[in-house]
Amino acid sequence: MRTHTGPIGPSSPYAATTRFHDCTSTDHHDHPGTATGTGAHGRLGLALILVAAFMVVLDFSIVNVALSSIQRELHVSAASVQWVVTAYAIAFGGLLILGGRAGDLYGRRRLFLAGIGVFTAASLAGGLARDPVLLIAARVVQGTGAAMVAPAALSLITTGFAEGPRRTRALGLYGATASIGFVAGQVLGGVLVEFLSWRSVFLVNVPVGLAALLLAPHVLRESRLARAGRKLDAVGAVLITLAVAALVFAVSQIATTGIGSVPVLAPLALSILAGTAFAANEHRHADPLVRPALLHTYGLRNASTLMLLLGMWNGGEMLVLSGYLQQVLHMSPLDAGLSIAPQGMVGLATGLLGARLTRHLGIQRVLVVAGTAATAGFAALTQLPIVSGSHLPLAAVMLVGFGTAGMAFGSMVTASAGIADPDQGLVGGVINTSRQLGAATGAALLPAVADAVDRTRHTSMTVGDRAAMLAGLLTAVLATLVALKTWLGAPRHGVA
C-alpha cells in the first residue's frame, strides 16, 4: 500500500493592484459606495487580502508535509494522523457556503477579520498541542476560520472592483496567490520540519494573522447588503453544512476503507438526504440561504463544474507526483517539493498575466487554452520515467501549472460576472466548495487508482502512477470540453 497522504485542497484567495472600492449601492447596501483612490491605502487593502488568502492556501500543503513527524512525536497510528488533514477538510468544505452568505448579510470585512482571528488562535493551539485529540480539535477550528476567510476574501475583491478589466486583473492575482501558495507549502513545510519541528508549520501562521488583524480595520472597508427584514436561513445553513461535510468525509474514507464500506456509504447516504432536504427548504423559504435561480445562472453553473474538475486533478496530482518523486526516484521531501515548485511558479506567472491574456483572447478562450494545456501536461505525465534524469516531469508540471491557474482564474471571473453585489459572498462560497469537493475526490481517487494498478500488475510503482495520471488526463479532457461548451454557448452579454 502506498503512503500517499493528502491535503484536501483548497480553494483559494487572490488580489489586484488598482483602486479598491467600497462597492456598496443605495439599493442593496448600507451606504453609497465611494472609491478609496489609487494610493497606498487601496493597495495595502488588496495586499492584506492576498496575504490572508495565501496563509489559508499554504496551510493545506504545509501541514501535509508534517504528518510523519506528528505521527512519531505524538505516538499515533497512520490512520489517526490522517484526521489532522480530514478534520480540517470537513470543517472547511462544510462551512464555505454558510460563510459566504454570512459575509453578505453581516459584513464581508467583519467575517474576514473574525475568520483570521479564529484561524490564528487555532494555529497557536495546534502548534502547542501535546495531545492528538487537541491537535485534531484545533484543526476543526482552523478549518472553520478558513471557511470564513476564503469566501469573504473573494467577495471583497469582486465587490471592490467593478466588473471588467480591473476585476479581471484582481482575480488573476488572486489565482496566482493560490497557485504559488499551495506549492510553497510543500517547500516551506519541508524546510520547517527539517530544521525546526512540525509545530512550526502551525506557529508560522500566528505572526501573520496578528499583523492582518491589526492592519485590516485601517485598510479594508466594510461591504454588505442591507439587512432590513433579512435574516440567515438557519435550517438551510444546517442542512447544507451537513450535506457537504458528510460528502467530504465519505470521499476522504474511500482510500482507507474502500468505496463499498460503511464509513463511506453511511455518510454518503446522509449527504444525499441532507442535500435533498436542503433543496426542498430553499424552494419553500421566503429568504433562502441560496436562491435556486442563482444556481441556474449560466456562468456560475459552468464555473462551478470547472472548479470541481480542476480540484479533482489538482488534489490528486500533487499527492501522486509527490509520492512518485520520493518513492520511485528516492528524493527527499524537500527535493520533491522543489521539483514540483515550477508548477506553482508558472501558475503565479499565469495569474499575473491573466488580464493581458483575457484582453487578447477573451475569458472563454482562456478557459479552453488552460484546459488544453492541462490535458497536454497530464498526457506527458502518463509517461513518467522509471529513473531520474528525464526533463519530462518538469515540462509536464509546468503545463499543468499553467492550466490549473488559468482555469481557476477564468472560472472565478466567469462565476462573478453578472452577479449582483449582494450575492457575491455566496458565489465565493459556492466556487470554493466546488473546488474543495473536487480536491477531496481527487485526493482519494488518483492515489486509489495508483494503488489498484500496483496490486494487479505487480510491477514498478511507476505503472500505478502513470495510471493515476491517466485519470487526471481524463478529468482535464472533460474540463476542456466543458470550457469549450461554455465558450460556444456563452450569452452575448457574458464575459468577453
Side-chain angles (χ1 to χ4, degrees):
M1 177 69 68
R2 288 162 180 263
T3 58
H4 292 299
T5 55
I8 304 194
S11 168
S12 326
Y14 326 12
T17 56
T18 49
R19 68 178 60 184
F20 189 77
H21 305 282
D22 176 349
C23 274
T24 51
S25 71
T26 54
D27 293 331
H28 300 293
H29 298 75
D30 293 337
H31 306 288
T34 56
T36 63
T38 57
H41 180 80
R43 287 194 293 271
L44 278 174
L46 291 166
L48 178 62
I49 293 173
L50 279 177
V51 169
F54 179 83
M55 181 173 67
V56 171
V57 174
L58 186 78
D59 201 68
F60 282 100
S61 51
I62 197 173
V63 171
N64 187 62
V65 175
L67 288 181
S68 296
S69 298
I70 293 172
Q71 182 182 353
R72 286 194 302 271
E73 183 172 326
L74 298 185
H75 307 293
V76 294
S77 66
S80 296
V81 81
Q82 280 299 317
W83 275 96
V84 175
V85 173
T86 304
Y88 182 94
I90 291 172
F92 182 72
L95 293 168
L96 276 166
I97 291 178
L98 173 58
R101 177 50 90 196
D104 288 334
L105 289 173
Y106 303 112
R108 298 173 183 113
R109 185 186 70 170
R110 181 179 298 173
L111 195 76
F112 182 78
L113 280 168
I116 290 175
V118 170
F119 188 89
T120 302
S123 297
L124 179 62
L128 299 178
R130 301 287 176 182
D131 180 270
V133 175
L134 294 178
L135 176 58
I136 291 169
R139 288 289 282 167
V140 171
V141 179
Q142 211 178 15
T144 302
M148 299 161 73
V149 172
L154 183 54
S155 59
L156 279 169
I157 291 172
T158 54
T159 58
F161 289 87
E163 189 175 330
R166 288 175 177 171
R167 182 188 291 182
T168 300
R169 184 161 50 249
L171 290 174
L173 292 174
Y174 180 85
T177 302
S179 296
I180 196 67
F182 190 75
V183 175
Q186 296 209 340
V187 178
L188 180 59
V191 172
L192 291 175
V193 171
E194 186 167 339
F195 295 105
L196 295 174
S197 82
W198 65 264
R199 298 182 183 279
S200 60
V201 304
F202 294 100
L203 297 177
V204 71
N205 296 323
V206 176
V208 179
L210 291 176
L213 287 172
L214 290 173
L215 286 173
H218 304 289
V219 299
L220 293 179
R221 290 192 175 191
E222 187 54 278
S223 169
R224 66 176 177 270
L225 54 79
R227 288 188 56 207
R230 304 205 61 180
K231 61 181 181 180
L232 189 67
D233 173 12
V235 174
V238 171
L239 289 172
I240 192 62
T241 298
L242 182 61
V244 177
L247 181 57
V248 172
F249 176 78
V251 170
S252 71
Q253 295 303 299
I254 291 175
T256 54
T257 65
I259 196 167
S261 65
V262 173
V264 172
L265 296 180
L268 186 60
L270 177 61
S271 175
I272 293 171
L273 288 173
T276 302
F278 171 75
N281 177 78
E282 299 307 279
H283 279 92
R284 291 195 307 265
H285 202 283
D287 188 14
L289 184 76
V290 180
R291 289 186 294 107
L294 183 66
L295 296 180
H296 295 297
T297 304
Y298 184 84
L300 180 58
R301 185 177 67 245
N302 286 295
S304 297
T305 303
L306 289 171
M307 287 296 263
L308 180 74
L309 295 169
L310 158 65
M312 286 179 65
W313 86 54
N314 193 221
E317 174 241 354
M318 283 287 187
L319 295 181
V320 173
L321 197 56
S322 179
Y324 161 79
L325 293 171
Q326 294 179 62
Q327 297 170 27
V328 177
L329 301 189
H330 306 293
M331 291 185 178
S332 69
L334 180 56
D335 287 340
L338 290 172
S339 296
I340 300 173
Q343 180 164 324
M345 298 304 296
V346 170
L348 173 63
T350 303
L352 294 173
L353 296 173
R356 187 172 300 175
L357 286 171
T358 302
R359 192 162 57 246
H360 290 296
L361 298 177
I363 197 65
Q364 312 299 349
R365 292 187 183 90
V366 168
L367 288 170
V368 174
V369 171
T372 303
T375 299
F378 275 107
L381 288 173
T382 61
Q383 304 301 315
L384 284 171
I386 298 176
V387 296
S388 59
S390 170
H391 295 293
L392 175 65
L394 175 62
V397 298
M398 292 175 71
L399 281 169
V400 173
F402 173 81
T404 300
M407 189 70 75
F409 145 70
S411 297
M412 287 183 291
V413 173
T414 302
S416 60
I419 303 294
D421 281 359
D423 287 322
Q424 288 290 351
L426 181 60
V427 167
V430 170
I431 286 295
N432 277 282
T433 300
S434 297
R435 186 166 184 175
Q436 173 72 358
L437 288 175
T441 304
L445 177 62
L446 268 65
V449 168
D451 284 339
V453 172
D454 284 345
R455 288 195 297 270
T456 56
R457 295 292 293 271
H458 300 291
T459 57
S460 166
M461 286 177 60
T462 309
V463 177
D465 292 328
R466 289 172 179 171
M469 293 305 173
L470 178 60
L473 169 63
L474 296 176
T475 306
V477 168
L478 183 56
T480 305
L481 293 175
V482 173
L484 189 60
K485 172 183 172 291
T486 303
W487 174 27
L488 297 177
R492 288 174 179 261
H493 60 275
V495 183

